[in-house]
Amino acid sequence: MLPVTVIGGYLGAGKTTLVNHLLRHADGTKLAVLVNEFGSLPIDADLIEAQDETMISIAGGCVCCSYGNDLIQAMLDLSALEQTPDHILIEASGVAMPGAIAASVSIMDGLAVDGIVVLADAETIRTQVSDAYIGDTIERQLSDADLVLLNKCDLVAQDGVGALQNWLGEKAPNATVVKAHHAKVPNPVVLQRHESHDGEALTDFHPHADAFQSRIIGFDTDCDVEAVARFLAAPEQNLVRAKGFVPTPEGMRAIHTVGRRWAVSDAPAGATPGVVIIAQKWGADLSAVASRWVAAE
């Protein structure tokens, strides 16, 4: 299944900055970015290798495509490329409902929704939500989110950021809220990793600027994989993401969570057991999370 991440948020929240950051730090993962029109998402000039009317070729095997009014056909075209991308990003317009886009993706064969990421401008989000004209749109965007990137936190006092996180927890009850400056967060926080079949990707997560932490939960015996997924996606664990492989009586299974969303799928041949859990540095005690899972078993 080809993972698809929908990136939403109101105008000026930082979607363009985030997409360029993800492309710049793709590290070998072939990303395909879908935008309504090229003019709405200026790709950093030094990343562009070639361009025609419908596609921009980007360094590292990534591409950017315009889908106009036919998003589904554009995704089918991407799936048919000679070099299929590892991950698709859909940059929604500032007034689009990312949940509706994700619903369209979910009914397409061969595609799976990896998550809905909504950016919020820390300096203006509360004012925007209270606006009579745009407030309802922004609230609906937030309610769709699996992950909210609270961007531009450097423009708000530290005590104000904490209050915003609590407020967003009410507006986006199914999401994990992650603080960001200039939309810079590690790619594994936003995207499902492109895993190698031997499980090597389980050990290569490197937190950026000590803002995030990671840990691997090991499994010595067979487990109920859905119980593991529900546990890791529960709000009390306060994880940003979890991904890896779980041994079950029926064989190895792959697990993936983002916010409160979780999914279980077939594991690739040769996968080794272990699940990487990722959280903000001060957002969770990962040793305690692992201990709670052992106790829950």
Side-chain angles (χ1 to χ4, degrees):
M1 300 288 281
L2 182 57
V4 179
T5 296
V6 182
I7 297 176
Y10 197 66
L11 301 167
K15 296 189 297 297
T16 295
T17 304
L18 174 63
V19 169
N20 278 299
H21 175 76
L22 296 173
L23 289 169
R24 194 172 291 283
H25 297 88
D27 295 330
T29 299
K30 297 190 293 293
L31 299 176
V33 182
L34 287 175
V35 296
N36 185 252
E37 57 182 34
F38 286 145
S40 65
L41 184 66
I43 300 297
D44 288 349
D46 62 322
L47 292 173
I48 296 175
E49 293 184 338
Q51 181 173 355
D52 59 28
E53 292 183 359
T54 60
M55 185 175 296
I56 299 174
S57 297
I58 302 169
C62 300
V63 295
C64 179
C65 305
S66 174
Y67 62 82
N69 295 318
D70 198 343
L71 176 61
I72 291 177
Q73 185 59 53
M75 287 190 287
L76 291 173
D77 292 343
L78 282 177
S79 300
L81 288 176
E82 184 175 341
Q83 284 197 328
T84 305
D86 298 318
H87 200 119
I88 296 176
L89 308 176
I90 301 175
E91 191 270 334
S93 72
V95 295
M97 296 300 113
I101 296 174
S104 296
V105 172
S106 67
I107 63 174
M108 297 185 65
D109 291 338
L111 300 177
V113 178
D114 177 58
I116 299 173
V117 179
V118 174
L119 284 93
D121 185 330
E123 191 176 32
T124 63
I125 184 66
R126 296 191 77 158
T127 301
Q128 289 174 333
V129 166
S130 65
D131 186 280
Y133 296 99
I134 64 173
D136 182 62
T137 294
I138 295 174
E139 287 205 70
R140 289 175 61 192
Q141 290 175 343
L142 291 171
S143 67
D144 287 343
D146 299 310
L147 183 69
V148 174
L149 290 189
L150 182 58
N151 198 27
K152 307 182 185 181
C153 286
D154 52 319
L155 303 180
V156 178
Q158 188 59 42
D159 57 346
V161 171
L164 272 173
Q165 285 183 289
N166 293 334
W167 177 79
L168 283 168
E170 299 174 0
K171 298 295 182 182
N174 295 316
T176 299
V177 180
V178 172
K179 296 184 293 184
H181 296 175
H182 307 294
K184 292 182 179 178
V185 293
N187 280 31
V189 170
V190 177
L191 307 177
Q192 177 178 308
R193 294 294 299 229
H194 177 54
E195 301 268 10
S196 60
H197 282 191
D198 58 8
E200 288 181 356
L202 292 179
T203 60
D204 68 357
F205 173 74
H206 300 288
H208 288 204
D210 294 325
F212 295 87
Q213 55 179 325
S214 69
R215 179 188 174 100
I216 297 177
I217 298 180
F219 299 90
D220 298 324
T221 60
D222 291 344
C223 300
D224 180 340
V225 66
E226 293 192 359
V228 177
R230 287 192 297 268
F231 171 84
L232 295 176
E236 55 267 28
Q237 314 312 339
N238 205 23
L239 300 180
V240 176
R241 275 190 179 265
K243 176 148 176 74
F245 308 112
V246 177
T248 76
E250 294 76 32
M252 197 73 70
R253 298 280 281 164
I255 187 175
H256 164 235
T257 77
V258 54
R260 309 296 163 250
R261 182 193 297 268
W262 61 269
V264 171
S265 60
D266 294 334
T272 55
V275 173
V276 174
I277 54 177
I278 302 173
Q280 294 180 92
K281 191 71 172 181
W282 310 112
D285 183 339
L286 296 190
S287 295
V289 172
S291 297
R292 284 197 290 272
W293 165 245
V294 172
E297 284 187 287

